[in-house]
Amino acid sequence: MGEGGFAKLFQKRSFFHFAQKYQPLGSGETEEETHEECELKIIEQEKEVTVLPPKDACKCHKEDLAKALNVDLQTGLPEFSVLQRRLKHGWNEFSVENTEPIWKKYLDQFKNPLILLLLASALVSVITKEYEDAVSIAMAVLIVVTVAFIQEYRSEKSLEELNKLVPPECNCLREGKLQHLLARELVPGDIVYLSVGDRVPADLRLIEVTDLLVDESSFTGEAEPCNKTDGVLLEAGDITTLSNIVFMGTLVRYGKGKGIVIGTGENSQFGEVFKMMQAEETPKTPLQKNMDRLGKQLTLFSFGIIGLIMLIGWLQGKHLLSMFTIGVSLAVAAIPEGLPIVVTVTLVLGVLRMAKKRVIVKKLPIVETLGCCNVICSDKTGTLTANEMTVTRLVTSDGFQAEVSGVGYSGEGDVYLLPSKEILKQFSNVSVGKLVEAGCVVNNAIIRKNSVIGQPTEGALIALAMKMELADIKDIYVRKKEIPFSSEQKWMAVKCTLKNQDQEDIYFMKGAFEEVIQYCTLYNSSGISLSLTPQQKAIYQQEEKRMGSSGLRVLALASGPELGKLTFLGLVGIIDPPRAGVREAVQVLSESGVSVKMITGDALETAVAIGQNIGLCNGKLKAMSGEELDQLAEAELSSTVKNVSIFFRTSPKHKLKIIKALQRAGAVVSMTGDGVNDAVALKSADIGIAMGQAGTDVSKEAANMILVDDDFSTVMNAIEEGKGIFYNIKNFVRFQLSTSISALSLITLSTVLNLPNPLNAMQILWINIIMDGPPAQSLGVEPVDRDTIKQPPRCITDTILSKSLILKIFMSAIIIISGTLFVFWKENPKSGITPRTTTMTFTCFVFFDLFNALTCRSQTKLILEIGFFRNRMFLYSVLGSFLGQLAVIYIPPLQKVFQTENLGVLDLLFLTGLASSVFVVSEFIKLCEKRCCRPKHTKGCHN
């Protein structure tokens, strides 16, 4: 029913109310009831209208579809129906339920075991009236929690960003008028008009099309736009085969169309991706798991100390409460409150270094996760390739072959004649020139600002003409007629005549070889047309198959005075080629134990061609289709996917399935992608990496990292950075724990053995500042070692406190304790402790600390290999600490505070020599390890 009908209905109702007093009793009420029943009936009909799945809608005739959706194809929906349907189906948008308030997200940061342990130690410090310790610990916790919260809050917008891809406006037929509406206002049954450049506003079943080409690469991974029809399909395959359906968020490249809305908002194909993303949780990073584990280890260590001190005190007959207080104080001192700060600062510096390399990292711990990454699953279109169709090969009808350099639509590159590698321009080779001329004339594409308006395939032919300096040749012709391309005839032709010349008309044709060759009776040989023989046709067919099997899309070109008497000109091979630097990146990653896998919606031949081109698995490729994936059981899939390097004809669900299977097999998976179809996989992967320029908003927000310049090779830098960060954290942990164990052991031994304390409270505080301060913090900013990328990926089960690190910690602690106790014994007169005794012991411990920090700069390399001056912050920190120690010893006001006295030059030289022993022993062990234990070359770690 149109708007006029409803207006009349409402007018009648008003009239009945107005004229009721002039009518016989009861007659008005009866008619009123009749109209109310009619209205209720319409409302009930509207309630019965449901969204149609694409696989059902594609099989319906447009008349049946209009009946099912209760819409008039000539006038569209009336406003009354629109309102009723909106009540049922909602707006054409995605609602993100953000039920968790900001304050709760902030408080969630405190759930980290290490943070909870630090808060417990701050509480104990308050109870024991150590207020300075409590304040410093609380400040450390607040800094760490706030920095982590700001980073993570900014990155939790993935679902909201889906709205950005929903186009804001569209052309819709309602009440017989074409209206310009917001896309969010669409409801099922609306009739939408599409034209070039439009983003499809909802899932539509097409009812009219004119040469309609739609770019579905963000969904399917197909670089080539899809030909769309309005005919009924007999069978429904996957979404790539539904030629009479267009999906929300895809782009109209060419032609125009008209369709009925069959799905809006979350009920669209786009909505399926939305629901999958909503259900998907971002996995915890290996570093987060490591920090949780370290927090628990330190908690157990702390309770162990408290228990041991209380047991010894009880055996010695001391008061239990006083022993408990001492034990708790020691445990608090043992907890490295600087660790969360160092981890955060180290990660932030890593993020800043990555930003300089044009990589944006959205979640701090993700930087370190890259060090564990042993599998990279990459989307093909727009990631490994530029998503710019490019002519790479030419074969003329008289046997000349040429290859083409340069990628995309910039016109940069050259055409080389094979095998001589002669650069061709214009008609320097007549046969190649005529082939390129035909491709340029039978063409509707325009290239502006290095981007194509029209079909990408036609854009590739224009770019080829630009490289041959023939881009303006179409201007010498006047087009009289065009026979457009259709999926049935598989060719396009134009009828032209030369400007300002009374010559006969000439046809130019391009299309599939098997179709074009049927219209040819001649072939070109250096500008002369010769009769086309069956032998010549067989040669061309063989060449076409050879080019097709190498992943090229092959177009045949011809020209002549009549469609049945054309001259065959040759074949053009087009492909979306790999990006620059991808092959080198894949090689380096493979050598370092990282397996690269390609996941694409494209066909097998194209995927294999690109895979061989970029050197996947050194050319030993194993491919698997999405259909084959569906047939495998979960257990079988996990063991199979490890050995497959190319997955073709895949959907978003397949991508998710592959990543989950690899994760179950123990792999740490990175996923790179740029389309809507990659969003779910990007979020579920351990590391999601999106393209900054070609990437959709959805993919960028679902990812943890963004490659600003779409340069796949920067993934190598990111992995190198990730490995380096973990080593820096280990270096810091080694230094801090060896120092804290040494300080604890000195105080514990003196307490247990009833000896005088070798260090007073202020001296312990000074040592704590060095332990948590600049020298320790500067270990976290050690530049990444150049050989790091060559190291195999770290196993996710590797803990920060590995066995070898624990041994090195205890070795350093034993040397520091032994040296300090030796000085304490040597300088302790029989009369009792003097200021000289504590000064010598205190300075000895600080010097040990500084030498220990020097050797902790690397776990495997000697100081001469990494260089003294590479980490300038470390040098300034150590120099500052050394000058600070001299100030404590020699400046009178500080001598009173720290209870120290002047030391002679020989004393300082003796302490320096003794303290350097921790450095010498550690460097000697590194040397022995290098000589005796050759590094094992592994292919990554799959637990």
Side-chain angles (χ1 to χ4, degrees), residues 317-359:
K318 292 183 178 177
H319 196 264
L320 274 180
L321 186 62
S322 64
M323 293 311 294
F324 175 74
T325 307
I326 292 168
V328 167
S329 301
L330 290 174
V332 169
I335 298 164
E337 60 262 38
L339 180 59
I341 292 178
V342 163
V343 169
T344 306
V345 168
T346 305
L347 291 173
V348 167
L349 288 167
V351 167
L352 294 174
R353 282 197 293 267
M354 290 312 301
K356 288 178 183 174
K357 294 172 183 174
R358 309 287 287 161
V359 178

Side-chain angles (χ1 to χ4, degrees), residues 828-866:
N828 195 3
K830 290 177 183 178
S831 55
I833 288 179
T834 63
R836 175 177 169 79
T837 308
T838 55
T839 305
M840 284 289 282
T841 309
F842 172 44
T843 307
C844 177
F845 194 95
V846 169
F847 280 15
F848 262 122
D849 247 13
L850 299 180
F851 275 109
N852 188 32
L854 185 62
T855 196
C856 284
R857 281 181 61 191
S858 173
Q859 301 299 317
T860 53
K861 290 201 168 185
L862 301 172
I863 193 71
L864 295 172
E865 289 178 289
I866 57 175

Side-chain angles (χ1 to χ4, degrees), residues 94-303:
F94 304 101
S95 57
V96 182
E97 291 181 19
N98 192 9
T99 50
E100 203 172 62
I102 291 176
W103 61 267
K104 191 174 184 301
K105 286 183 179 178
Y106 185 77
L107 291 178
D108 282 346
Q109 300 291 327
F110 289 90
K111 289 179 181 176
N112 184 326
L114 201 58
I115 297 292
L116 292 172
L117 188 60
L118 287 172
L119 289 172
S121 66
L123 183 63
V124 170
S125 299
V126 170
I127 293 165
T128 54
K129 297 185 180 178
E130 299 288 339
Y131 298 117
E132 290 176 358
D133 282 357
V135 170
S136 66
I137 292 168
M139 286 300 293
V141 167
L142 279 173
I143 291 166
V144 171
V145 164
T146 305
V147 169
F149 167 73
I150 290 167
Q151 277 290 330
E152 292 190 14
Y153 179 70
R154 283 168 58 191
S155 70
E156 281 301 314
K157 297 175 188 170
S158 330
L159 300 174
E160 295 167 25
E161 283 299 317
L162 276 159
N163 287 315
K164 289 189 180 177
L165 247 189
V166 176
E169 295 173 340
C170 63
N171 294 311
C172 176
L173 181 69
R174 280 187 187 167
E175 300 180 328
K177 296 174 186 173
L178 190 61
Q179 301 179 22
H180 201 63
L181 303 174
L182 289 173
R184 70 188 294 267
E185 294 178 27
L186 292 178
V187 294
D190 262 325
I191 293 170
V192 174
Y193 284 73
L194 300 171
S195 56
V196 177
D198 287 353
R199 276 219 183 263
V200 179
D203 286 1
L204 309 177
R205 160 68 164 90
L206 296 167
I207 54 173
E208 282 181 27
V209 297
T210 308
D211 305 334
L212 186 64
L213 291 175
V214 177
D215 181 353
E216 295 183 344
S217 60
S218 65
F219 263 113
T220 63
E222 287 272 12
E224 192 65 23
C226 302
N227 260 304
K228 292 296 178 181
T229 63
D230 55 10
V232 178
L233 300 183
L234 298 175
E235 283 188 15
D238 62 15
I239 61 168
T240 59
T241 64
L242 305 182
S243 60
N244 59 5
I245 305 285
V246 286
F247 299 104
M248 179 194 284
T250 55
L251 184 67
V252 178
R253 285 283 189 191
Y254 189 73
K256 56 186 180 178
K258 180 173 152 185
I260 304 176
V261 175
I262 57 169
T264 57
E266 290 180 31
N267 294 315
S268 64
Q269 194 67 31
F270 205 110
E272 290 298 312
V273 178
F274 172 80
K275 286 173 197 167
M276 287 167 72
M277 270 186 73
Q278 222 171 13
E280 204 54 46
E281 285 187 18
T282 306
K284 263 195 171 185
T285 69
L287 181 64
Q288 287 169 326
K289 291 173 187 172
N290 259 314
M291 297 308 290
D292 289 352
R293 202 178 296 129
L294 183 61
K296 286 165 188 169
Q297 287 171 339
L298 290 174
T299 306
L300 291 171
F301 176 64
S302 302
F303 281 120

